[in-house]
Protein backbone atom coordinates (compact mmCIF):
# COMPACT_ATOMS: atom_id res chain seq x y z
CA UNK A 1 0.00 0.00 0.00
CA UNK A 2 1.57 3.23 -1.06
CA UNK A 3 1.51 6.42 0.92
CA UNK A 4 1.19 10.00 -0.14
CA UNK A 5 1.75 13.15 1.78
CA UNK A 6 0.34 16.59 1.49
CA UNK A 7 1.00 19.66 3.51
CA UNK A 8 -2.03 21.86 3.85
CA UNK A 9 -3.78 24.41 6.00
CA UNK A 10 -4.92 21.77 8.48
CA UNK A 11 -8.11 22.48 10.42
CA UNK A 12 -6.99 21.63 13.93
CA UNK A 13 -9.78 22.04 16.49
CA UNK A 14 -8.97 24.27 19.42
CA UNK A 15 -10.98 24.27 22.66
CA UNK A 16 -12.14 27.61 23.99
CA UNK A 17 -11.06 27.92 27.62
CA UNK A 18 -11.79 31.57 28.33
CA UNK A 19 -13.72 34.43 26.81
CA UNK A 20 -11.88 37.76 26.77
CA UNK A 21 -12.94 41.32 26.09
CA UNK A 22 -13.08 42.85 22.62
CA UNK A 23 -14.25 39.70 20.85
CA UNK A 24 -11.24 37.62 21.83
CA UNK A 25 -10.83 34.32 23.54
CA UNK A 26 -8.19 31.93 24.79
CA UNK A 27 -8.02 28.52 23.21
CA UNK A 28 -6.13 25.37 24.05
CA UNK A 29 -4.41 23.34 21.36
CA UNK A 30 -2.64 20.31 22.75
CA UNK A 31 -1.89 22.08 25.98
CA UNK A 32 -0.68 25.28 24.29
CA UNK A 33 -2.86 28.28 25.02
CA UNK A 34 -3.27 31.14 22.58
CA UNK A 35 -5.36 34.28 22.41
CA UNK A 36 -7.37 34.55 19.22
CA UNK A 37 -10.17 36.60 17.74
CA UNK A 38 -13.72 35.27 17.91
CA UNK A 39 -15.10 38.06 15.71
CA UNK A 40 -15.93 35.76 12.81
CA UNK A 41 -17.97 33.22 14.75
CA UNK A 42 -21.15 33.92 16.68
CA UNK A 43 -22.23 32.36 19.94
CA UNK A 44 -18.94 30.77 21.00
CA UNK A 45 -18.74 29.72 24.63
CA UNK A 46 -16.22 28.15 26.96
CA UNK A 47 -15.82 24.48 26.14
CA UNK A 48 -16.69 24.92 22.46
CA UNK A 49 -14.28 23.85 19.75
CA UNK A 50 -13.29 26.20 16.94
CA UNK A 51 -11.08 26.00 13.87
CA UNK A 52 -8.35 28.62 13.99
CA UNK A 53 -6.38 30.21 11.18
CA UNK A 54 -3.76 32.93 11.65
CA UNK A 55 -5.30 34.05 14.90
CA UNK A 56 -8.96 33.94 13.92
CA UNK A 57 -11.59 31.36 14.80
CA UNK A 58 -13.25 30.49 11.50
CA UNK A 59 -15.95 28.04 12.45
CA UNK A 60 -17.33 26.24 15.48
CA UNK A 61 -17.42 22.45 15.62
CA UNK A 62 -19.53 20.21 17.75
CA UNK A 63 -17.57 18.30 20.34
CA UNK A 64 -17.98 14.93 18.66
CA UNK A 65 -16.68 16.15 15.33
CA UNK A 66 -13.78 17.95 17.01
CA UNK A 67 -12.76 14.89 18.98
CA UNK A 68 -12.91 12.71 15.86
CA UNK A 69 -10.72 15.18 13.99
CA UNK A 70 -8.22 15.40 16.85
CA UNK A 71 -8.06 11.61 16.95
CA UNK A 72 -7.38 11.58 13.21
CA UNK A 73 -4.46 13.97 13.58
CA UNK A 74 -3.09 12.07 16.56
CA UNK A 75 -3.22 8.79 14.66
CA UNK A 76 -1.30 10.48 11.86
CA UNK A 77 1.39 11.62 14.27
CA UNK A 78 0.61 15.30 13.87
CA UNK A 79 1.67 17.24 16.96
CA UNK A 80 -1.21 19.58 17.72
CA UNK A 81 0.89 21.60 20.15
CA UNK A 82 3.44 22.35 17.44
CA UNK A 83 0.67 23.24 15.04
CA UNK A 84 -0.62 25.69 17.63
CA UNK A 85 2.41 27.87 16.99
CA UNK A 86 1.79 27.74 13.28
CA UNK A 87 -1.88 28.67 13.18
CA UNK A 88 -1.74 31.56 15.58
CA UNK A 89 0.54 34.57 15.28
CA UNK B 1 14.22 32.93 13.07
CA UNK B 2 10.86 32.30 14.67
CA UNK B 3 9.49 28.79 14.25
CA UNK B 4 6.00 30.20 14.10
CA UNK B 5 5.48 30.13 10.33
CA UNK B 6 4.48 27.12 8.26
CA UNK B 7 6.30 28.51 5.26
CA UNK B 8 9.70 30.09 5.51
CA UNK B 9 11.14 32.20 2.70
CA UNK B 10 14.85 32.74 3.11
CA UNK B 11 16.89 35.07 0.98
CA UNK B 12 20.38 36.55 0.88
CA UNK B 13 21.27 40.17 0.24
CA UNK B 14 24.70 40.97 -1.17
CA UNK B 15 24.48 44.73 -0.83
CA UNK B 16 22.90 45.30 -4.21
CA UNK B 17 20.88 42.25 -5.13
CA UNK B 18 18.94 39.38 -3.69
CA UNK B 19 21.48 36.71 -4.48
CA UNK B 20 19.62 33.64 -3.32
CA UNK B 21 16.03 32.71 -2.47
CA UNK B 22 14.82 29.45 -1.00
CA UNK B 23 11.44 28.36 0.29
CA UNK B 24 11.25 25.99 3.22
CA UNK B 25 8.00 24.17 3.86
CA UNK B 26 7.62 23.42 7.56
CA UNK B 27 3.97 22.42 7.51
CA UNK B 28 2.78 19.26 9.18
CA UNK B 29 2.33 16.39 6.74
CA UNK B 30 -0.99 14.63 6.45
CA UNK B 31 0.18 11.48 4.69
CA UNK B 32 -1.79 8.76 6.50
CA UNK B 33 -4.98 10.73 6.87
CA UNK B 34 -6.81 9.16 3.96
CA UNK B 35 -4.87 5.95 3.42
CA UNK B 36 -6.93 2.83 3.90
CA UNK B 37 -10.25 4.61 4.09
CA UNK B 38 -13.21 3.87 1.91
CA UNK B 39 -14.18 6.57 -0.54
CA UNK B 40 -17.18 7.49 1.59
CA UNK B 41 -15.02 7.81 4.70
CA UNK B 42 -12.45 9.92 2.86
CA UNK B 43 -15.09 12.23 1.42
CA UNK B 44 -16.54 12.72 4.88
CA UNK B 45 -13.12 13.40 6.38
CA UNK B 46 -11.56 15.73 3.77
CA UNK B 47 -13.71 18.84 4.40
CA UNK B 48 -12.96 18.52 8.13
CA UNK B 49 -9.23 18.50 7.56
CA UNK B 50 -8.76 21.87 5.89
CA UNK B 51 -9.36 25.20 7.54
CA UNK B 52 -9.65 27.50 4.55
CA UNK B 53 -10.92 25.89 1.36
CA UNK B 54 -12.95 23.07 2.88
CA UNK B 55 -15.69 23.34 0.24
CA UNK B 56 -13.19 23.14 -2.61
CA UNK B 57 -11.27 20.29 -0.96
CA UNK B 58 -14.46 18.38 -0.23
CA UNK B 59 -15.75 18.85 -3.75
CA UNK B 60 -12.45 17.69 -5.21
CA UNK B 61 -12.44 14.56 -3.05
CA UNK B 62 -15.96 13.56 -4.06
CA UNK B 63 -15.33 14.23 -7.75
CA UNK B 64 -12.05 12.31 -7.76
CA UNK B 65 -13.59 9.31 -6.03
CA UNK B 66 -16.56 9.35 -8.38
CA UNK B 67 -14.24 9.44 -11.38
CA UNK B 68 -12.37 6.50 -9.87
CA UNK B 69 -15.62 4.57 -10.00
CA UNK B 70 -16.69 4.80 -6.38
CA UNK B 71 -19.61 6.84 -5.17
CA UNK B 72 -22.46 8.10 -7.27
CA UNK B 73 -23.19 11.37 -5.54
CA UNK B 74 -20.91 13.69 -7.43
CA UNK B 75 -21.51 17.34 -6.70
CA UNK B 76 -22.26 19.61 -9.58
CA UNK B 77 -24.57 22.19 -10.93
CA UNK B 78 -25.33 25.66 -9.78
CA UNK B 79 -25.46 24.90 -6.05
CA UNK B 80 -21.95 23.49 -6.08
CA UNK B 81 -20.66 26.41 -8.15
CA UNK B 82 -22.30 28.89 -5.79
CA UNK B 83 -20.72 27.26 -2.76
CA UNK B 84 -17.29 27.35 -4.38
CA UNK B 85 -17.70 30.98 -5.43
CA UNK B 86 -18.85 31.98 -1.95
CA UNK B 87 -15.71 30.41 -0.56
CA UNK B 88 -13.63 32.34 -3.12
CA UNK B 89 -15.33 35.57 -2.05
CA UNK B 90 -14.44 34.93 1.60
CA UNK B 91 -10.81 34.20 0.77
CA UNK B 92 -10.45 37.27 -1.45
CA UNK B 93 -11.98 39.51 1.20
CA UNK B 94 -9.60 38.13 3.83
CA UNK B 95 -6.60 39.20 1.79
CA UNK B 96 -8.03 42.52 0.65
CA UNK B 97 -9.40 43.69 4.01
CA UNK B 98 -6.96 42.20 6.51
CA UNK B 99 -3.64 41.21 5.02
CA UNK B 100 -3.04 43.85 2.36
CA UNK B 101 -3.72 46.86 4.61
CA UNK B 102 -1.40 45.33 7.21
CA UNK B 103 1.29 44.79 4.57
CA UNK B 104 1.22 48.51 3.86
CA UNK B 105 1.34 49.46 7.51
CA UNK B 106 -2.34 50.35 7.70
CA UNK B 107 -4.93 49.06 10.14
CA UNK B 108 -6.68 45.86 9.14
CA UNK B 109 -10.36 46.47 8.38
CA UNK B 110 -11.57 43.96 10.88
CA UNK B 111 -15.13 45.20 11.33
CA UNK B 112 -15.92 45.33 7.64
CA UNK B 113 -14.29 41.95 7.14
CA UNK B 114 -16.04 40.29 10.06
CA UNK B 115 -19.42 41.58 8.89
CA UNK B 116 -18.83 40.38 5.32
CA UNK B 117 -17.38 37.05 6.42
CA UNK B 118 -20.29 36.23 8.71
CA UNK B 119 -22.80 37.32 6.11
CA UNK B 120 -21.27 35.13 3.41
CA UNK B 121 -20.91 32.13 5.69
CA UNK B 122 -24.37 32.43 7.20
CA UNK B 123 -26.09 32.79 3.85
CA UNK B 124 -24.18 29.83 2.48
CA UNK B 125 -24.47 29.33 -1.24
CA UNK B 126 -26.42 32.01 -2.97
CA UNK B 127 -29.70 30.90 -4.39
CA UNK B 128 -32.68 32.67 -5.87
CA UNK B 129 -33.46 35.61 -3.70
CA UNK B 130 -30.08 35.72 -1.95
CA UNK B 131 -29.20 39.35 -1.44
CA UNK B 132 -25.71 39.25 -0.03
CA UNK B 133 -23.84 39.10 -3.39
CA UNK B 134 -25.54 42.31 -4.51
CA UNK B 135 -24.87 43.94 -1.14
CA UNK B 136 -21.19 43.06 -1.22
CA UNK B 137 -21.01 44.18 -4.87
CA UNK B 138 -22.49 47.55 -3.93
CA UNK B 139 -19.91 47.94 -1.18
CA UNK B 140 -17.16 46.96 -3.63
CA UNK B 141 -18.30 49.59 -6.12
CA UNK B 142 -17.91 52.25 -3.44
CA UNK B 143 -14.43 50.98 -2.58
CA UNK B 144 -13.33 50.63 -6.15
CA UNK B 145 -14.53 53.32 -8.57
CA UNK B 146 -13.74 51.41 -11.73
CA UNK B 147 -12.74 54.32 -13.90
CA UNK B 148 -10.14 55.59 -11.45
CA UNK B 149 -8.58 52.19 -10.95
CA UNK B 150 -8.30 51.54 -14.68
CA UNK B 151 -6.70 54.94 -15.25
CA UNK B 152 -4.17 54.24 -12.53
CA UNK B 153 -3.41 50.85 -14.02
CA UNK B 154 -2.91 52.34 -17.47
CA UNK B 155 -0.70 55.10 -16.13
CA UNK B 156 -3.19 57.71 -17.31
CA UNK B 157 -3.62 59.17 -13.84
CA UNK B 158 -0.81 59.78 -11.44
CA UNK B 159 -1.28 57.94 -8.19
CA UNK B 160 -0.67 61.09 -6.16
CA UNK B 161 -3.71 62.77 -7.69
CA UNK B 162 -6.06 60.00 -6.67
CA UNK B 163 -8.64 61.15 -4.21
CA UNK B 164 -9.61 57.73 -2.93
CA UNK B 165 -9.48 57.33 0.84
CA UNK B 166 -6.20 55.71 1.88
CA UNK B 167 -7.82 52.79 3.65
CA UNK B 168 -10.13 51.71 0.85
CA UNK B 169 -9.26 48.91 -1.57
CA UNK B 170 -8.43 51.62 -4.10
CA UNK B 171 -6.26 53.40 -1.57
CA UNK B 172 -4.16 50.29 -1.05
CA UNK B 173 -3.94 49.78 -4.81
CA UNK B 174 -2.79 53.39 -5.24
CA UNK B 175 -0.01 52.88 -2.73
CA UNK B 176 1.05 49.63 -4.40
CA UNK B 177 1.32 51.34 -7.77
CA UNK B 178 3.51 54.01 -6.23
CA UNK B 179 5.73 51.59 -4.36
CA UNK B 180 5.78 48.47 -6.54
CA UNK B 181 9.26 47.93 -7.89
CA UNK B 182 8.98 46.99 -11.57
CA UNK B 183 10.13 43.50 -12.44
CA UNK B 184 11.65 43.04 -15.85
CA UNK B 185 13.53 40.37 -17.71
CA UNK B 186 11.69 37.49 -16.06
CA UNK B 187 9.17 35.38 -17.94
CA UNK B 188 5.78 34.73 -16.45
CA UNK B 189 4.65 31.14 -16.75
CA UNK B 190 1.02 30.40 -16.10
CA UNK B 191 -0.52 27.16 -15.03
CA UNK B 192 -3.06 26.57 -17.80
CA UNK B 193 -6.71 26.50 -16.84
CA UNK B 194 -7.48 23.15 -18.36
CA UNK B 195 -10.06 20.46 -17.81
CA UNK B 196 -9.51 17.41 -15.69
CA UNK B 197 -9.23 15.26 -18.84
CA UNK B 198 -6.09 17.17 -19.78
CA UNK B 199 -4.66 16.74 -16.29
CA UNK B 200 -5.41 13.02 -16.50
CA UNK B 201 -3.46 12.86 -19.74
CA UNK B 202 -0.60 14.89 -18.26
CA UNK B 203 -0.29 12.80 -15.07
CA UNK B 204 -1.27 9.31 -16.21
CA UNK B 205 -1.57 8.13 -12.61
CA UNK B 206 -1.75 9.55 -9.07
CA UNK B 207 1.26 11.91 -8.83
CA UNK B 208 3.98 11.04 -6.31
CA UNK B 209 4.56 13.04 -3.11
CA UNK B 210 7.67 14.72 -4.46
CA UNK B 211 5.63 16.17 -7.27
CA UNK B 212 2.86 17.29 -4.92
CA UNK B 213 5.35 19.26 -2.84
CA UNK B 214 7.08 20.83 -5.85
CA UNK B 215 4.77 20.59 -8.84
CA UNK B 216 5.96 21.73 -12.22
CA UNK B 217 4.68 21.61 -15.75
CA UNK B 218 6.92 21.47 -18.76
CA UNK B 219 9.85 21.48 -16.39
CA UNK B 220 8.96 24.87 -14.92
CA UNK B 221 7.25 26.17 -11.84
CA UNK B 222 3.97 27.78 -12.87
CA UNK B 223 1.77 30.47 -11.38
CA UNK B 224 -1.86 29.81 -10.61
CA UNK B 225 -4.47 32.07 -9.05
CA UNK B 226 -6.16 35.36 -9.80
CA UNK B 227 -3.38 36.74 -11.98
CA UNK B 228 -3.23 33.59 -14.11
CA UNK B 229 -7.00 33.90 -14.63
CA UNK B 230 -7.05 37.65 -15.28
CA UNK B 231 -3.73 38.34 -17.03
CA UNK B 232 -5.44 39.25 -20.30
CA UNK B 233 -7.84 41.77 -18.75
CA UNK B 234 -6.78 45.21 -20.07
CA UNK B 235 -6.24 46.79 -16.66
CA UNK B 236 -4.13 43.86 -15.49
CA UNK B 237 -2.22 43.61 -18.77
CA UNK B 238 -1.37 47.30 -18.52
CA UNK B 239 0.26 46.76 -15.13
CA UNK B 240 2.13 43.69 -16.34
CA UNK B 241 3.33 45.70 -19.31
CA UNK B 242 4.97 48.12 -16.88
CA UNK B 243 6.43 45.30 -14.83
CA UNK B 244 4.26 46.10 -11.81
CA UNK B 245 3.50 42.51 -10.97
CA UNK B 246 2.57 42.88 -7.31
CA UNK B 247 0.05 45.60 -8.21
CA UNK B 248 -1.14 43.42 -11.10
CA UNK B 249 -1.84 40.54 -8.71
CA UNK B 250 -3.80 42.85 -6.42
CA UNK B 251 -5.80 44.21 -9.36
CA UNK B 252 -6.44 40.70 -10.60
CA UNK B 253 -7.76 39.69 -7.18
CA UNK B 254 -10.27 42.55 -7.18
CA UNK B 255 -11.36 41.58 -10.68
CA UNK B 256 -11.70 37.96 -9.56
CA UNK B 257 -13.84 39.09 -6.63
CA UNK B 258 -16.06 41.19 -8.89
CA UNK B 259 -16.59 38.25 -11.24
CA UNK B 260 -17.42 35.90 -8.36
CA UNK B 261 -20.05 38.31 -7.06
CA UNK B 262 -21.52 38.79 -10.53
CA UNK B 263 -21.75 35.03 -11.02
CA UNK B 264 -23.42 34.60 -7.63
CA UNK B 265 -25.95 37.33 -8.40
CA UNK B 266 -26.74 35.87 -11.83
CA UNK B 267 -25.74 32.19 -12.02
CA UNK B 268 -27.22 31.87 -15.52
CA UNK B 269 -24.49 34.15 -16.80
CA UNK B 270 -21.69 32.14 -15.21
CA UNK B 271 -20.00 30.35 -18.08
CA UNK B 272 -16.93 29.18 -16.20
CA UNK B 273 -16.67 25.54 -15.23
CA UNK B 274 -15.23 25.68 -11.74
CA UNK B 275 -14.77 21.97 -11.29
CA UNK B 276 -14.68 18.70 -13.18
CA UNK B 277 -13.16 15.24 -13.02
CA UNK B 278 -11.77 12.53 -15.26
CA UNK B 279 -10.61 8.95 -15.15
CA UNK B 280 -6.86 8.45 -14.98
CA UNK B 281 -5.35 6.04 -17.51
CA UNK B 282 -4.58 3.65 -14.66
CA UNK B 283 -8.20 3.60 -13.55
CA UNK B 284 -7.95 6.13 -10.75
CA UNK B 285 -9.73 9.46 -10.70
CA UNK B 286 -8.57 13.05 -10.85
CA UNK B 287 -10.55 16.18 -10.04
CA UNK B 288 -9.90 19.84 -10.68
CA UNK B 289 -11.45 22.65 -8.65
CA UNK B 290 -10.75 26.35 -9.13
CA UNK B 291 -10.23 28.25 -5.88
CA UNK B 292 -9.32 31.80 -4.90
CA UNK B 293 -5.67 30.74 -4.81
CA UNK B 294 -5.77 28.84 -8.10
CA UNK B 295 -6.20 25.31 -9.40
CA UNK B 296 -6.61 22.54 -6.84
CA UNK B 297 -6.14 18.92 -7.98
CA UNK B 298 -7.07 15.71 -6.14
CA UNK B 299 -6.13 12.28 -7.48
CA UNK B 300 -7.05 8.90 -6.03
CA UNK B 301 -6.70 5.23 -6.72
CA UNK B 302 -8.58 2.56 -4.81
CA UNK B 303 -7.86 -1.11 -4.30
CA UNK B 304 -10.54 -3.45 -3.06
CA UNK B 305 -12.76 -0.53 -2.12
CA UNK B 306 -10.16 1.30 -0.05
CA UNK B 307 -7.82 4.17 -0.82
CA UNK B 308 -4.44 2.91 -1.87
CA UNK B 309 -3.05 6.14 -3.23
CA UNK B 310 -4.11 9.77 -2.77
CA UNK B 311 -2.52 13.02 -3.88
CA UNK B 312 -3.38 16.68 -3.52
CA UNK B 313 -1.64 19.29 -5.64
CA UNK B 314 -2.54 22.69 -4.24
CA UNK B 315 -2.02 26.24 -5.49
CA UNK B 316 0.42 27.09 -2.71
CA UNK B 317 2.85 24.44 -3.91
CA UNK B 318 2.72 25.70 -7.50
CA UNK B 319 3.31 29.31 -6.55
CA UNK B 320 6.02 28.68 -3.97
CA UNK B 321 7.93 26.21 -6.13
CA UNK B 322 11.75 26.52 -5.82
CA UNK B 323 11.76 27.71 -9.42
CA UNK B 324 8.38 29.40 -9.31
CA UNK B 325 7.34 33.05 -9.55
CA UNK B 326 8.49 34.01 -6.06
CA UNK B 327 12.04 32.89 -6.71
CA UNK B 328 12.20 33.97 -10.36
CA UNK B 329 10.99 37.50 -9.61
CA UNK B 330 13.47 38.13 -6.79
CA UNK B 331 16.63 36.05 -7.20
CA UNK B 332 19.30 38.13 -8.89
CA UNK B 333 17.19 41.28 -8.85
CA UNK B 334 18.60 44.59 -7.63
CA UNK B 335 16.90 46.80 -5.05
CA UNK B 336 17.68 50.21 -3.58
CA UNK B 337 18.52 48.66 -0.25
CA UNK B 338 17.94 45.75 2.09
CA UNK B 339 14.67 47.15 3.41
CA UNK B 340 13.31 47.61 -0.09
CA UNK B 341 14.27 44.05 -0.95
CA UNK B 342 12.62 42.69 2.22
CA UNK B 343 9.47 44.65 1.56
CA UNK B 344 9.26 43.42 -2.02
CA UNK B 345 9.74 39.81 -0.94
CA UNK B 346 7.01 40.11 1.68
CA UNK B 347 4.55 41.74 -0.67
CA UNK B 348 5.28 39.32 -3.48
CA UNK B 349 4.76 36.37 -1.16
CA UNK B 350 1.46 37.85 -0.02
CA UNK B 351 0.43 38.48 -3.63
CA UNK B 352 1.11 34.81 -4.43
CA UNK B 353 -1.26 33.95 -1.59
CA UNK B 354 0.00 30.88 0.26
CA UNK B 355 -2.70 29.18 2.31
CA UNK B 356 -0.58 29.15 5.46
CA UNK B 357 1.32 31.67 7.54
CA UNK B 358 4.69 32.57 6.10
CA UNK B 359 7.73 34.54 7.14
CA UNK B 360 10.46 36.19 5.11
CA UNK B 361 14.03 36.48 6.30
CA UNK B 362 16.73 38.34 4.42
CA UNK B 363 20.31 37.63 5.42
CA UNK B 364 22.78 40.44 4.71
CA UNK B 365 25.98 38.64 3.82
CA UNK B 366 27.99 41.81 4.41
CA UNK B 367 27.21 41.94 8.12
CA UNK B 368 28.03 38.38 9.04
CA UNK B 369 31.56 38.91 10.24
Amino acid sequence: MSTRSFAMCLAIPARVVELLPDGCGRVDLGGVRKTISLELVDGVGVGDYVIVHVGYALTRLDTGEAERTLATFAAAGIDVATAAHEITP
Amino acid sequence: MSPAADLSIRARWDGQRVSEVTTVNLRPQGAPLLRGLTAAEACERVPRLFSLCSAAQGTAAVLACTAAGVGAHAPGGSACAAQLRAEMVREHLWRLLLDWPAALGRPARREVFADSYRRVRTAGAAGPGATWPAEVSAWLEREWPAGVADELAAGERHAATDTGAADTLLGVFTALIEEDRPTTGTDMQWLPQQHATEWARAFGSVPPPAFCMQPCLGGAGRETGALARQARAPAVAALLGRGQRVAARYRARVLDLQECLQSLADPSADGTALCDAAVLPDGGGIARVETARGTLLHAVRLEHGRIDDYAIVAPTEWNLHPDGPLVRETRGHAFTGLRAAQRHLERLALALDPCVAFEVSLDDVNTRY
Side-chain angles (χ1 to χ4, degrees), chain B residues 4-327:
Chain B
D6 287 321
L7 183 62
S8 182
I9 299 163
R10 302 174 184 173
R12 294 173 104 174
W13 170 253
D14 68 6
Q16 289 184 317
R17 297 174 187 276
V18 173
S19 58
E20 201 176 306
V21 182
T22 56
T23 56
V24 180
N25 190 335
L26 304 172
R27 290 180 286 176
Q29 301 295 307
L33 297 178
L34 301 180
R35 183 184 60 183
L37 298 181
T38 65
E41 290 167 345
C43 293
E44 188 273 336
R45 180 175 288 187
V46 163
R48 287 194 285 115
L49 296 180
F50 302 107
S51 58
L52 296 183
C53 295
S54 57
Q57 300 278 6
T59 298
V62 172
L63 284 174
C65 288
T66 302
V70 184
H73 194 56
S78 57
C80 176
Q83 191 182 40
L84 294 174
R85 288 218 181 270
E87 188 167 76
M88 293 171 77
V89 168
R90 288 202 310 268
E91 294 304 307
H92 283 322
L93 289 176
W94 188 302
R95 288 302 196 196
L96 291 169
L97 291 173
L98 299 184
D99 294 329
W100 272 112
L104 270 72
R106 299 171 187 197
R109 300 176 65 189
R110 299 167 69 111
E111 264 188 48
V112 174
F113 174 71
D115 178 63
S116 302
Y117 189 93
R118 283 199 300 267
R119 192 185 306 199
V120 174
R121 191 190 60 228
T122 302
T131 60
W132 72 263
E135 291 164 1
V136 178
S137 286
W139 165 82
L140 185 57
E141 281 176 25
R142 293 190 296 273
E143 291 273 323
W144 192 265
V148 175
D150 291 345
E151 288 170 7
L152 285 170
E156 294 167 3
R157 176 193 284 244
H158 192 278
T161 67
D162 177 62
T163 57
D167 292 339
T168 62
L169 301 190
L170 183 64
V172 171
F173 180 60
T174 303
L176 276 178
I177 285 186
E178 283 184 343
E179 299 170 14
D180 191 8
R181 175 208 174 279
T183 299
T184 58
T186 304
D187 289 342
M188 303 198 79
Q189 306 213 32
W190 311 118
L191 188 69
Q193 276 199 277
Q194 56 191 25
H195 292 296
T197 47
E198 289 159 294
W199 285 112
R201 252 195 309 272
F203 287 165
S205 60
V206 177
F211 180 87
C212 296
M213 292 306 297
Q214 295 183 3
C216 61
L217 194 64
R222 303 291 184 112
E223 180 167 350
T224 186
L227 185 59
R229 286 190 283 260
Q230 306 291 350
R232 291 194 194 85
V236 176
L239 290 164
L240 291 176
R242 299 209 304 272
Q244 291 192 283
R245 298 185 182 185
V246 172
R249 290 178 176 103
Y250 185 96
R251 181 70 182 94
R253 181 180 293 280
V254 175
L255 198 49
D256 231 34
L257 174 61
Q258 290 169 322
E259 289 183 357
C260 280
L261 291 168
Q262 286 162 8
S263 296
L264 284 162
D266 184 7
S268 66
D270 187 359
T272 306
L274 285 181
C275 57
D276 60 354
V279 180
L280 285 164
D282 71 350
I286 186 165
R288 170 198 68 104
V289 178
E290 296 300 328
T291 74
R293 291 178 173 80
T295 300
L296 171 70
L297 300 170
H298 279 218
V300 63
R301 193 183 70 245
L302 295 103
E303 288 285 342
H304 309 297
R306 293 197 172 265
I307 290 175
D308 181 63
D309 213 351
Y310 203 102
I312 297 180
V313 189
T316 295
E317 275 64 46
W318 287 105
N319 290 334
L320 278 299
H321 186 280
D323 191 34
L326 179 85
V327 176

